[in-house]
């Protein structure tokens, strides 16, 4: 008997997953997955796992660095969960859990003081550093995790100093409140980067599911650890340091794996300096690999963006100097007290902001004696002469540079530059 020919009516797939065929069988339409039944069941199990823990449409719906970042983020969350268990046990012991002489009132007061100081620390940190968390998300993400480990170490050591226990746990509470602000805000900034289909809520929700699963695994391991470390401070410290090393290493690998296509000051400086040296433009992966993820303490010439006019000029003569060679650009730029200041006009576009930042970077590097390689401009006696030279340099190269960075894969319709909100409209013009 001749075998019935299979007629495929349609083919579909979910994202980049396994294709499914609609075929005719016994006069009816039937849906079948490609491959054997065993492979179909495997794909089905994997599909359920993906739908629970990964954003819809993965991997097309997220950035290319998503999986590597989430892997290292999972490792650091697991190790942090175990370290947190050790710190919590020490804190409970310090406030008198298990001690018959301890009073409920004393323990409650200590806990309230810790929480109260932490709330104040959260407010003050958000006030002072909130605007920095978008532009330097990698640095603050790593900073938050280092500070979190310091806070947990203080909580573990606090019971050994009963006279200063309240002071130590309150300080640790302040550190943890800063960690909460910096960690939460930078996580949001990274979610914006990862979400490629306006699916921030989904990416954030699935990140929460992953973290919950990791914390559950950490809880199970903690049930085994607690009996071992109880009344054994040496083992507690040894395990804490092992978990901390793993935590910091995983965090470093996580932030290093992030490839952002938007410019902040560091990435724009790296790309611009390389272009001015040999006209090569770094791609986003190349520049991100060179971007520093630790805060640097060497002396640098800072750049302040979007400042008040009085920070840049103090007289009509200085305003005329600032406007010289400005070519009617909607920003003013100058140097005061070893700092580069940039004033923005009210109609400044993103490209104007990038142009102003490029010019400010040229000035900053020319003024900084520690800049490696050949300086972008020769340092002169007058700061205003350097400003004029920077105008000429940017006029010559900026349009070509802008086309080059767009071709290299950088986003030029928005930036992560740390602009303040002052906008100045100057009434005088240079002839």
């Amino acid at each position: 008997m001749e075998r019935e020919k299979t007629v495929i009516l349609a083919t579909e797939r979910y994202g980049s997953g396994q294709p499914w065929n609609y075929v005719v069988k016994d006069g009816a339409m039937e849906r079948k997955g490609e491959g054997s039944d065993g492979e179909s069941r495997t794909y089905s199990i994997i599909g359920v796992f993906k739908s629970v823990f990964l954003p819809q449409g993965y991997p097309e719906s997220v950035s290319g660095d998503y999986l590597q970042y989430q892997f290292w983020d999972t490792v650091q969350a697991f190790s942090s969960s175990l370290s947190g268990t050790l710190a919590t046990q020490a804190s409970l012991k310090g406030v008198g859990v298990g001690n018959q002489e301890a009073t409920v009132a004393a323990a409650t007061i200590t806990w309230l003081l810790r929480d109260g100081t932490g709330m104040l620390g959260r407010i003050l940190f958000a006030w002072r550093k909130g605007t920095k968390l978008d532009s330097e998300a990698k640095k603050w993400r790593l900073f938050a995790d280092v500070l979190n480990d310091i806070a947990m170490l203080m909580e573990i050591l606090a019971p050994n100093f009963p006279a200063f226990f309240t002071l130590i746990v309150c300080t640790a509470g302040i550190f943890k409140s800063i960690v909460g602000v910096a960690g939460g805000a930078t996580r949001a900034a990274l979610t914006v980067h990862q979400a490629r289909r306006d699916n921030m809520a989904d990416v954030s929700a699935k990140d929460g599911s992953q973290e919950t699963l990791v914390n559950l695994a950490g809880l199970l391991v903690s049930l085994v650890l607690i009996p071992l470390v109880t009344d054994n401070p040496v083992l507690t410290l040894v395990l804490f340091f092992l978990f901390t090393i793993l935590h910091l290493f995983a965090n470093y690998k996580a932030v290093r794996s992030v490839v952002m296509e938007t410019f902040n000051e560091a990435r724009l400086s790296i790309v611009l300096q390389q272009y001015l040296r040999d006209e090569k433009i770094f791609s986003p992966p190349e520049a991100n690999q060179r971007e520093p993820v630790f805060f640097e303490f060497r002396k640098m010439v800072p750049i302040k963006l979007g400042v008040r006019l009085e920070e840049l000029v103090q007289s009509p003569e200085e305003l005329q100097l600032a406007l010289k060679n400005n070519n009617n650009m909607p920003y003013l730029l100058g140097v005061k007290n070893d700092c580069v200041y940039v004033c923005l006009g009210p109609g400044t576009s993103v490209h104007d902001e990038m142009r102003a930042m490029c010019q400010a970077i040229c000035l900053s590097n020319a003024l900084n004696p520690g800049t490696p390689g050949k300086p972008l401009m020769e340092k002169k006696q007058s700061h205003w002469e350097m400003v004029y030279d920077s105008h000429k340099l940017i006029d010559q190269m900026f349009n070509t540079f802008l086309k080059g960075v767009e071709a290299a894969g950088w986003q030029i319709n928005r930036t992560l530059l740390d602009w303040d909100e002052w906008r100045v409209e100057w009434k005088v013009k240079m002839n």
Side-chain angles (χ1 to χ4, degrees):
M1 184 176 179
E2 187 177 352
R3 186 176 179 181
E4 185 180 353
K5 184 178 180 181
T6 302
V7 179
I8 299 177
L9 300 177
T11 302
E12 68 180 2
R13 69 172 70 233
Y14 187 83
S16 59
Q18 174 204 20
W20 293 81
N21 296 326
Y22 287 89
V23 301
V24 177
K25 185 175 182 180
D26 298 329
M29 187 169 69
E30 182 178 317
R31 184 174 183 266
K32 296 181 64 176
E34 292 187 0
S36 65
D37 292 339
E39 289 176 331
S40 297
R41 285 194 294 270
T42 302
Y43 278 121
S44 178
I45 295 172
I46 295 174
V48 170
F49 180 85
K50 285 183 176 182
S51 66
V52 174
F53 293 105
L54 294 175
Q56 180 177 336
Y58 171 87
E60 289 84 3
S61 62
V62 293
S63 59
D65 55 17
Y66 178 84
L67 187 61
Q68 186 177 3
Y69 174 81
Q70 291 302 125
F71 170 78
W72 289 112
D73 189 52
T74 299
V75 173
Q76 71 85 18
F78 180 73
S79 56
S80 180
S81 176
L82 298 180
S83 298
T85 298
L86 300 177
T88 300
Q89 185 203 35
S91 295
L92 293 173
K93 182 179 179 181
V95 297
V97 175
N99 185 356
Q100 295 180 351
E101 297 180 359
T103 65
V104 174
T108 303
I109 290 172
T110 300
W111 219 256
L112 289 175
L113 286 173
R114 190 194 73 161
D115 289 347
T117 52
M119 292 174 188
L120 291 175
R122 186 179 299 114
I123 293 171
L124 291 173
F125 179 77
W127 169 49
R128 296 298 300 171
K129 296 297 182 181
T131 58
K132 301 286 186 182
L133 301 178
D134 278 306
S135 60
E136 297 182 332
K138 294 182 185 180
K139 289 183 179 180
W140 284 108
R141 177 73 178 174
L142 199 56
F143 169 83
D145 288 297
V146 171
L147 194 62
N148 189 49
D149 289 333
I150 294 173
M152 288 191 291
L153 178 61
M154 293 174 67
E155 290 178 340
I156 290 175
L157 296 177
N160 298 313
F161 305 93
F164 301 98
F165 178 81
T166 301
L167 176 62
I168 293 173
V169 296
C170 286
T171 304
I174 293 174
F175 287 174
K176 283 195 169 183
S177 69
I178 294 174
V179 170
V181 176
T186 53
R187 183 183 294 273
L190 292 174
T191 301
V192 172
H193 158 70
Q194 291 174 337
R196 295 304 165 96
R197 290 183 180 171
D198 294 326
N199 56 339
M200 281 184 56
D202 186 31
V203 172
S204 180
K206 296 303 168 57
D207 182 67
S209 297
Q210 296 168 23
E211 188 170 353
T212 302
L213 181 64
V214 171
N215 288 335
L216 179 61
L219 176 64
L220 295 176
V221 175
S222 297
L223 293 175
V224 178
L225 282 181
I226 290 300
L228 298 177
V229 300
T230 302
D231 299 324
N232 193 338
V234 175
L235 181 59
T236 299
L237 282 174
V238 170
L239 290 175
F240 174 78
F241 281 116
L242 289 176
F243 295 147
T244 298
I245 291 171
L246 177 61
H247 179 236
L248 294 178
F249 175 75
N251 268 293
Y252 175 79
K253 295 291 288 185
V255 296
R256 270 291 176 219
S257 68
V258 175
V259 179
M260 288 190 167
E261 299 91 357
T262 47
F263 281 123
N264 64 358
E265 181 180 335
R267 292 190 286 273
L268 182 56
S269 178
I270 290 168
V271 175
L272 177 64
Q273 291 185 66
Q274 186 64 37
Y275 176 77
L276 291 174
R277 289 191 188 104
D278 57 16
E279 296 188 355
K280 176 185 177 182
I281 293 181
F282 282 141
S283 64
E286 290 173 322
N288 276 266
Q289 281 300 310
R290 291 165 173 79
E291 180 186 3
V293 295
F294 294 102
F295 288 103
E296 298 173 311
F297 297 100
R298 61 193 179 101
K299 184 175 176 57
M300 299 290 291
V301 177
I303 299 172
K304 294 187 178 181
L305 307 171
V307 300
R308 299 187 303 271
L309 182 63
E310 66 178 358
E311 295 184 61
L312 176 59
V313 298
Q314 282 80 40
S315 67
E317 292 75 19
E318 284 194 328
L319 180 56
Q320 291 288 347
L321 288 172
L323 288 167
K324 184 178 179 181
N325 292 338
N326 187 51
N327 294 330
N328 294 323
M329 296 303 300
Y331 64 84
L332 292 180
L333 185 143
V335 179
K336 289 287 183 181
N337 302 320
D338 291 326
C339 182
V340 179
Y341 292 93
V342 183
C343 292
L344 280 184
T348 310
S349 67
V350 175
H351 291 180
D352 292 331
E353 291 178 359
M354 286 182 60
R355 180 189 176 106
M357 189 68 205
C358 288
Q359 190 173 344
I361 290 171
C362 291
L363 277 174
S364 175
N365 281 277
L367 292 166
N368 180 29
T371 302
K374 183 180 178 180
L376 303 182
M377 295 185 304
E378 295 298 328
K379 186 172 181 179
K380 299 187 178 182
Q381 292 298 111
S382 169
H383 287 165
W384 288 116
E385 289 180 344
M386 297 180 67
V387 172
Y388 307 153
D389 286 349
S390 68
H391 277 300
K392 295 174 183 177
L393 178 62
I394 296 301
D395 285 340
Q396 293 171 1
M397 52 71 61
F398 182 73
N399 289 335
T400 304
F401 174 72
L402 192 64
K403 293 177 182 177
V405 296
E406 184 177 18
W410 292 96
Q411 294 182 12
I412 61 172
N413 59 337
R414 70 182 190 93
T415 68
L416 292 173
L417 300 174
D418 186 25
W419 292 97
D420 206 344
E421 294 303 312
W422 291 101
R423 297 296 181 267
V424 182
E425 186 175 357
W426 39 92
K427 304 298 184 180
V428 296
K429 302 289 183 182
M430 286 298 298
N431 295 326

